Amino acid sequence: MTKQQKHRVLASAVLILTLGVAQNVNAMHIMEGYLPGGFCIAWGVICLPFLWMGFRSIRKSLNENRRVLPLLAMAGAFIFVISSLKIPSVTGSCSHMTGTGLGALLFGPGAVSILGLIVLLFQAILLAHGGLTTLGANVFSMAVAGPFVSYGIYRLCQKGGVNKRLAVFLAAAFGDLFTYCVTAFQLAIAHHSDVSVGGAFAKFLAVFAPTQIPLAVIEGILTVLIIAALETYARPELRAAGFLKEER
Amino acid sequence: MISIDRLCYNSNLRYVNAGEKFAFAVLSLCACVLSRSIPVSCFVLVIMGILSVWKGGIPFSCYMRYMGVPLVFLLLSSLAIIINFSGEPLDLFAFSVGGIYITGSRESLFYALNLILTALASVSCLYFLSFHTPMPDILSVLRRLRCPKLILELMLLIYRFIFVLFEVAHAIRVSQNSRLGNRNYRTSMKSFGAMASALLIRAMKKSDALYNAMEARCYNGDIRVLDENFPPRGKEIILIVVFEIILYGLVVIEML
């Protein structure tokens, strides 16, 4: 390798690193128009059963108690606000939580799928994060896959008798990581120009890793802090939120 | 707080019928996504830019700043598309590292460029909708498209609550700052956790109060509000139809 080539490699490495850490980091919404039409429709269809389930569960709890409606709306607005506030991050860039893991723990994954749909639509229209055609893909990764994994991990940890704070941390962090993996997978199967899907998947994972892995850890820590504070100050409210899911 | 929301209430196209704007933006968006070709994308990008800035009165610098929002995502994912690791070098560039090459092909570069352009054009369609149509108008269009009533009601309430909660969050942030919160990394993590939990408690209290207020005003499971209605104008409809015919003609030519 000549000296010039070494310089080029160095320059591209610096470029990648600066792009990775110094910019506004969102929770990886797939941009408007980034997926081909077929994939947009396919991901939308995949989401439908989950959304239908969420819709049914919300309607059932509404029929039992109408007071749930404003509560659900507040939960949705809470997820939106939490996910659009800047959180402290290690590198000085500004980044945002997904907030859906926290939502899934508090309100149950079924309700979060519908709330997530609405929140993602608002994020697309009001904040230009994500888009209308990629709504299906984003709903699947952020409002279905992530929350279900978070909730599943939390329940498993509870059954296994793991420390509650550790369980919350693991649930939120792995939910976030899973969202990021699903998004990378969605990008990879849509765009693999001269490599296999697997290779493209690895590349997308690698490119977004420097921003997403610290974010997942921070999200986990923050979720633990929030749940701990809620348990100290807001037992009745927690019970009201858990009431949406009847268990817990 | 949410600057797009402020922009759309001040837009010159705000009082144009919301259905027209919605149909225009969504049809053009579909054309971009379907064709994924450079001419269609450029055409849409230019037309949407001109309409938003010149007709809608969005400041040019502001428009350009918003077009930059998706840039980080686009650059990062284009890097993943262009750069390749393989045993033999491809035709665009190649650096050897150990036994393998970091390399890229001309084809994937064009693919990535095309993708960036399509995404920017689609984003400009989305912006045409969101810069000129306030959320209540979009909701009334969705109502006409027979979106389930439960979802619409949730959307209406969530839209309202977002601003309430932002205000609360801002007030909490100010009072935390004045009490030496957010000084360094540890305190800012602690402050954020405290703020989020206080926010949830406030949100629950407010939702309770809201329900009581609605109940006191004869709420029976149905929120009815008057929408402002601006009738569609013939001239605008004709222009939109002509534009869409030209656009889809272009799409068909490109796909052949």
Side-chain angles (χ1 to χ4, degrees), chain A residues 78 82 97 99-107 172 219 223 226-227 230, chain B residues 196:
Chain A
F78 178 70
I82 282 295
M97 284 175 85
T100 48
L102 177 64
L105 297 186
L106 290 177
F107 309 109
E219 169 133 18
T223 309
I226 294 169
I227 298 262
L230 284 176

Side-chain angles (χ1 to χ4, degrees), chain A residues 67-81:
Chain A
R67 202 169 267 274
V68 172
L69 183 77
L71 197 60
L72 272 175
M74 270 299 173
F78 178 70
I79 294 174
F80 182 94
V81 170

Side-chain angles (χ1 to χ4, degrees), chain A residues 112-236:
Chain A
V112 167
S113 66
I114 290 283
L115 294 180
L117 169 75
I118 299 175
V119 167
L120 284 166
L121 187 65
F122 280 165
Q123 283 179 336
I125 293 176
L126 295 174
L127 302 175
H129 295 169
L132 300 180
T133 55
T134 52
L135 192 62
N138 283 331
V139 166
F140 183 75
S141 67
M142 284 180 213
V144 173
F148 271 91
V149 164
S150 289
Y151 193 71
I153 289 178
Y154 184 69
R155 303 295 292 190
L156 269 182
C157 287
Q158 266 190 331
K159 284 221 180 86
V162 181
N163 177 338
K164 195 162 182 195
R165 296 202 169 172
L166 183 66
V168 171
F169 174 79
L170 289 177
F174 277 98
D176 216 24
L177 282 179
F178 191 66
T179 296
Y180 141 68
C181 293
V182 169
T183 312
F185 177 69
Q186 287 171 333
L187 288 171
I189 55 167
H191 303 299
H192 48 98
S193 52
D194 42 8
V195 280
S196 64
V197 178
F201 180 50
K203 282 197 295 177
F204 277 113
L205 276 181
V207 159
F208 288 103
T211 61
Q212 294 301 315
I213 290 174
L215 202 62
V217 175
I218 294 173
E219 169 133 18
I221 296 172
L222 283 177
T223 309
V224 171
L225 286 176
I226 294 169
I227 298 262
L230 284 176
E231 277 185 336
T232 324
Y233 301 118
R235 291 201 160 264

